[in-house]
Each structure stands twice: as structure tokens, then as C-alpha cells.
Amino acid sequence: MSKFRFIPYFLGTAVACTFASVAFAQKIEDGPKAVKPERLAHYWALDNSSVVADVPNMARGIAQATCAAVSFIVESDGSTSNVKVQKVEPESQLRGIAESMGQHIRFTPTVANMGRDRIFSWLIFPFNMPSDPDQRSAIMQPCALDTIALKDR
């Protein structure tokens, strides 16, 4: 009789484990959640000390006011992956620097993202911007993207 008392316990545990593994597998298969840059800070905070790039000594257009739209996935550890430069305006060799910045940036999860959800998003990196806000805005406008599909990463 005592042998049969433990069967419901083991069956319940087995069923719970099965549901947990299915839910975990489903989360992995879903991939990252896509969010626009203005919502990225809801999930992940940029670690400003990580904004570094590999910069060559000489390159075409390196001193020109430029912007670059860079997409990436913020992984659960705060690192970035699948970094892709979507647009550089005007086109210059700053494309490589923008990609390097995207690869080096790191994020910390916000209180709203304690599950450390993977997020697909993009940022615009400014280079050599003038001090006048109107001029900066005009230079940055060509890099503004309405949306990027996950397939374009």
C-alpha cells in the first residue's frame, strides 16, 4: 500500500517538469523581442563606460559629421550579438567604427526586465556633431529608421 502513495507525487513532478521544459524550449524558439530604440531603456540600461570603438588612425570621412544606425540583439548577459550597421549618412569609413561600437556596448537589466529578456533593437551613433542642436538634428535625421524586421538583422 505504501508503494502506491508516492506514485501521484512522482507523476505530478514528472508532469510539472515536462511543462517547464516545454515552456523553456518555447521561449528559446521565440527569439528576441523587437523593440524600438525609445523603448529599449525599459528593458536594458546602456552602460556608458562600455561605449568604446576600435578607431583607425586614418580613414576617409573620419572627421565629417556623420550618423550610423546600428541594430543588435541584447543578450541575457547584457552583451550584444548580431550587430549590423543598417545605415551610415553620409557614407564613410565610419561604418567600421559604428560596428565596433555596437559590438562593444554593454547593458544592465532594468527592474522591469529581471528575466533578462533578449531584445532586438537599434541605436543611432553620432560622430563629429556640431554644437548647434538644429544642425545636429538635421544631420541625424537621415539615420532615423521607423522599423527594422528581425530578418534584416
Side-chain angles (χ1 to χ4, degrees):
M1 186 90 161
S2 64
K3 292 180 190 177
F4 297 108
R5 250 191 288 173
F6 294 106
I7 290 176
Y9 171 76
F10 287 119
L11 279 177
T13 303
V15 169
C17 288
T18 302
F19 283 129
S21 63
V22 168
F24 179 73
Q26 182 66 36
K27 185 170 182 166
I28 290 174
E29 289 174 12
D30 288 345
K33 179 179 182 177
V35 299
K36 289 191 173 191
E38 56 270 14
R39 293 286 300 148
L40 180 60
H42 177 75
Y43 299 93
W44 293 96
L46 178 64
D47 176 1
N48 288 329
S49 67
S50 71
V51 182
V52 295
D54 300 322
V55 181
N57 291 330
M58 295 182 67
R60 178 181 51 82
I62 199 166
Q64 184 176 11
T66 306
C67 63
V70 179
S71 65
F72 49 84
I73 295 173
V74 181
E75 297 293 344
S76 61
D77 65 355
S79 67
T80 55
S81 68
N82 295 66
V83 175
K84 181 178 180 184
V85 177
Q86 298 288 337
K87 187 184 243 187
V88 176
E89 289 292 334
E91 188 61 48
S92 70
Q93 290 183 334
L94 288 169
R95 175 178 289 277
I97 297 170
E99 183 174 2
S100 174
M101 286 175 68
Q103 292 168 346
H104 286 98
I105 58 176
R106 297 292 177 261
F107 294 86
T108 55
T110 63
V111 173
N113 187 20
M114 294 314 286
R116 296 176 166 261
D117 296 334
R118 296 173 65 224
I119 300 293
F120 171 72
S121 192
W122 64 95
L123 292 174
I124 298 175
F125 297 139
F127 297 99
N128 307 312
M129 289 290 146
S131 58
D132 179 57
D134 292 334
Q135 288 179 333
R136 271 197 312 264
S137 180
I139 293 168
M140 298 278 283
Q141 188 56 42
C143 286
L145 303 171
D146 290 331
T147 187
I148 301 174
L150 283 171
K151 64 178 178 59
D152 295 331
R153 60 175 186 239

